[in-house]
């Protein structure tokens, strides 16, 4: 009997774990995979002036099975690549430097929070999360009020006599970087904090006892141990920043055209959903590169850790 109860308990445990995992999998399948497959299907369809504004990819009619499969949408992107390569390059460039700036700000902030006392740690984490309690659009408009030619920053600098004429900050790369950092900085801090708070102080003390300088400790001990948090934070910032639409539209100018604006134009102004879907799939293909690279790096770190453990 005890053996039978043990087997039933194991089966119940396995079933419970599968049910727990099944919920998120169904959620992803319905709200992520199905829309993604629909977008992929539309990218191979033909545009038409109707609702929806594209012909069905396949189906059945009086003549039997039919298909409207075409590669013309991707061919159009290849033919007029200069109209799309510019926004794609702008998106990657602005997203990359925004991620870099977020990392430079977030790393010392996460380290400070992780090394604080538990009481202050909770308070500082709440302060990091506080911007998420307000609308991102409201924060962007507040930033516009600061960066405008007649805004607070220019007014204060002119009042102090530092400048004689307003500095142009709006509709520049600087304003976009400010908006990106304001929006995505917490997404960089939290993964770094989650890694840093688990660091073993004995390892740092051992490196200090062996005569390592502060710079050597950082590059040989702290940074390698926090690299998973760096990779996770960079992905959390870079991926949404590439497809960002609101921040470049409100803070940038015509020279800061990004893929999000191109997608909006194709979807809503030109109503060419197949071409827009092709652009979206191209953007998705670009974003898979850092994800694959991050997974490759994690695999290398795991292999290295296993080899070191086996050698010991």
């Amino acid at each position: 009997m005890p053996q039978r109860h043990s087997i039933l308990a194991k089966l119940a445990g396995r079933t419970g774990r599968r049910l727990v995992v099944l919920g998120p999998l169904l959620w992803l399948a319905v709200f992520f995979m199905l829309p993604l497959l629909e977008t992929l299907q539309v990218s191979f369809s033909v545009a038409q002036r109707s609702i929806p504004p594209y012909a069905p990819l396949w189906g059945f009619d009086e003549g039997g099975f039919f298909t409207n499969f075409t590669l013309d949408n991707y061919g159009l992107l290849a033919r007029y690549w200069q109209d799309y390569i510019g926004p794609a390059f702008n998106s990657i460039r602005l997203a990359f430097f925004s991620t870099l700036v977020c990392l430079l700000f977030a790393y010392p902030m996460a380290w400070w929070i992780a090394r604080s006392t538990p009481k202050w740690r909770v308070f500082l984490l709440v302060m990091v999360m506080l911007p998420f309690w307000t609308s991102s659009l409201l924060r962007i408009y507040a930033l516009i009020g600061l960066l405008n030619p007649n805004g607070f920053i220019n007014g204060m600098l002119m009042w102090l006599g530092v400048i004689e004429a307003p500095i142009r900050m709006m509709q520049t790369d600087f304003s976009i970087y400010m908006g990106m950092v304001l929006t995505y900085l917490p997404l960089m801090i939290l993964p770094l904090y989650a890694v840093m708070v688990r660091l073993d102080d004995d390892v740092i003390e051992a490196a200090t006892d062996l005569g390592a300088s502060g710079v050597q400790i950082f590059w040989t001990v702290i940074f390698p141990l926090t690299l998973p948090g760096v990779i996770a934070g960079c992905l959390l910032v870079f991926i949404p920043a590439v497809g960002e639409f609101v921040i470049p539209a409100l803070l940038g100018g015509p020279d800061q055209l990004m893929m999000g604006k191109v997608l909006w134009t194709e979807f809503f102004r030109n109503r060419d959903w197949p071409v827009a879907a092709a652009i979206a799939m191209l953007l998705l293909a670009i974003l898979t590169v850092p994800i694959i690279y991050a997974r490759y790096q994690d695999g290398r770190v795991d292999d290295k850790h296993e080899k070191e453990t086996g050698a010991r």
Side-chain angles (χ1 to χ4, degrees), residues 206-271:
T208 304
D209 294 338
L210 291 173
S213 63
V215 176
Q216 289 175 329
I217 292 173
F218 174 76
W219 284 114
T220 60
V221 178
I222 297 176
F223 187 76
L225 292 176
T226 58
L227 187 58
V230 172
I231 294 175
C234 289
L235 289 178
L236 286 175
V237 174
F238 180 80
I239 291 175
V242 170
E244 181 62 52
F245 169 71
V246 175
I247 294 175
L250 296 179
L251 298 176
D255 295 335
Q256 286 79 28
L257 183 63
M258 295 177 66
M259 291 301 290
K261 179 66 174 178
V262 174
L263 276 172
W264 183 90
T265 302
E266 294 292 345
F267 265 112
F268 298 105
R269 183 171 296 174
N270 299 338
R271 288 187 60 81

Side-chain angles (χ1 to χ4, degrees), residues 17-35:
R17 287 194 294 269
R18 289 172 182 173
L19 289 176
V20 170
V21 174
L22 185 61
L25 288 179
L26 289 176
W27 179 274
L28 288 175
V30 174
F31 295 104
F32 177 74
M33 289 303 300
L34 290 181

Side-chain angles (χ1 to χ4, degrees), residues 3 108 117 145 202 232:
Q3 185 177 4
T117 60
D202 294 338

Side-chain angles (χ1 to χ4, degrees), residues 92-102 177:
I92 295 173
R93 176 178 61 86
L94 291 171
F96 174 79
F97 285 109
S98 298
T99 304
L100 183 61
V101 173
C102 284
Y177 292 140

Side-chain angles (χ1 to χ4, degrees), residues 97-133:
F97 285 109
S98 298
T99 304
L100 183 61
V101 173
C102 284
L103 179 61
L104 293 177
F105 278 102
Y107 203 97
M109 292 176 66
W111 180 262
W112 177 40
I113 296 173
R115 297 296 142 182
S116 300
T117 60
K119 181 179 177 181
W120 277 102
R121 194 179 300 165
V122 174
F123 172 75
L124 293 173
L125 285 175
V126 171
M127 295 300 294
V128 169
M129 297 297 297
L130 194 61
F132 285 132
W133 297 1

